Every structure is written in C-alpha cells, then in structure tokens.
Amino acid sequence: MARSGNATEGLKRRIFGACVSILFLVTAVPAQAEEARTLTSELLADYVATSFVPTEERKAQVSAERHCLAQAVYHESRGEPEEGQWAVASVILNRVESPRYPDTVCGVVFQNAELRNRCQFSFACDGRPDDGGHGNIIDRESWVKSHVIALAAYDQFLEGKTPAEGLATALYFHTTSVSPSWASAYAQVAAIGNHIFY
C-alpha cells in the first residue's frame, strides 16, 4: 500500500516513543511520578501533533499493504508449494526492510510498474489487470490462499518476527526455467518448488 511517508517506520517510531514515555512514567522518582502521570493539555497536544494517526487511516494502510502482498504472492507463486509462497512473501518483506528498496510493501511490489515489462515483479507491469478481468482469469482458491498467507506474513512482519532460516535475508528469487546473469553475484539460500532464492 502506498502509505504516507514511511508508515512502517513511523509506526515503529511512535510505538518506541510511547514505550519510552511509559518507561519514564514507571521509573520516575516518587516525587516526580505523580506529576509525570498527569495528562496536561501540552502533553496531549504534542502527542496529537507528532504521533497520532486516526484509526481508520491506520486500518486502510494495513489493508492496502496486505492486498499488495497478496497480489504478489498470487501472481508470483500461486502454483508453488505453500512453503514457496511464504518464501515469496518473505522476499518482499525483506525488501521493505532493505534501504535498497521502497519502504512499503506496495512500493516494493509495484516498483517501476510504469515501465512496461521492466519492473521488479512481472505481473505489475505486464499490462494485464492484477485482480482479474480483460482476459486475466483469477483462480479463486489460489487467490484466497494468497490473501491468507499475506495476512499472516504481514502481521508477523509488524510483530518483528523473521521468516525461516535463510529466507530472513533473501532479497531475490527467480524460476528454475531461467538463468539470470545477476544470480551468480549472490549466494543461494533456498530452492523451493520452481524458485531459487538468494
């Protein structure tokens, strides 16, 4: 999803800031503790100005990110074993964390989508609709499964959980039917179904 700014990092900063504030409140010396617990209009105004994101906006951001991830899992790996679909989701989420790529799931998935057949994930720039229609028929069972995997993977990502060994660092993958020139520059970390991960 196209979050305003770096929503993931912003959310992490807000949570960190809130934790620091709570830690201060809990550990303040007794004389200052009562004063620190008092909610002042200045404290509230500062929170609203720097940290507050309306619930509906946060929900919309998370929903869009999950949908972008589900689209990528579906189009890149729907015929793969479930482990391979999780691996594709891991690569995308690893890219979100990498400074080399955009800092949102939708930004990663649709990077260079405006460049016909020259984007990161071929489905994003092949000119066909990503949700079905105009000759692009969606396999409903695989579509639902990709959304279930995306929901779980994204929730784990928000909780700071990392994928299985090897895939915690994987940023690239390709099918076994091709031998891209870039592959020799990276160490293979997994081969799952018809995909090789680096």
Side-chain angles (χ1 to χ4, degrees):
M1 103 180 108
R3 297 184 194 177
S4 54
N6 181 346
T8 302
E9 288 304 314
L11 179 59
K12 288 178 184 176
R13 283 193 299 274
R14 287 191 294 277
I15 291 171
F16 178 75
C19 290
V20 169
S21 297
I22 290 168
L23 183 61
F24 173 76
L25 290 174
V26 169
T27 60
V29 292
Q32 297 170 327
E34 195 59 40
E35 183 179 318
R37 286 191 199 115
T38 305
L39 180 62
T40 64
S41 58
E42 292 83 14
L43 183 61
L44 182 59
D46 181 59
Y47 170 73
V48 170
T50 60
S51 303
F52 178 73
V53 177
T55 301
E56 291 305 314
E57 184 179 327
R58 282 182 289 159
K59 286 168 54 178
Q61 290 171 348
V62 169
S63 177
E65 289 282 83
R66 287 175 177 157
H67 184 67
C68 287
L69 186 57
Q71 286 179 299
V73 169
Y74 174 83
H75 290 289
E76 295 295 321
S77 62
R78 69 181 171 273
E80 295 298 303
E82 186 173 320
E83 181 185 5
Q85 293 178 47
W86 278 93
V88 167
S90 295
V91 165
I92 293 164
L93 295 171
N94 289 344
R95 286 186 179 192
V96 173
E97 292 291 308
S98 171
R100 294 184 229 167
Y101 293 94
D103 54 15
T104 65
V105 173
C106 293
V108 166
V109 169
F110 292 101
Q111 184 177 16
N112 299 328
E114 71 281 0
L115 305 174
R116 179 83 178 207
N117 296 319
R118 290 174 39 210
C119 55
Q120 297 291 316
F121 299 100
S122 57
F123 83 92
C125 61
D126 63 5
R128 299 173 69 192
D130 302 326
D131 294 333
H134 303 288
N136 190 13
I137 299 170
I138 295 293
D139 173 336
R140 283 291 165 218
E141 184 177 340
S142 297
W143 184 252
V144 169
K145 184 175 183 179
S146 71
H147 278 75
V148 170
I149 289 170
L151 184 143
Y154 188 72
D155 285 353
Q156 289 176 9
F157 171 73
L158 289 179
E159 294 171 6
K161 295 179 181 173
T162 57
E165 189 63 36
L167 294 176
T169 57
L171 291 173
Y172 312 99
F173 67 91
H174 65 80
T175 65
T176 54
S177 63
V178 299
S179 298
S181 58
W182 56 260
S184 62
Y186 301 102
Q188 178 179 324
V189 295
I192 304 169
N194 292 312
H195 283 129
I196 300 173
F197 297 85
Y198 301 86

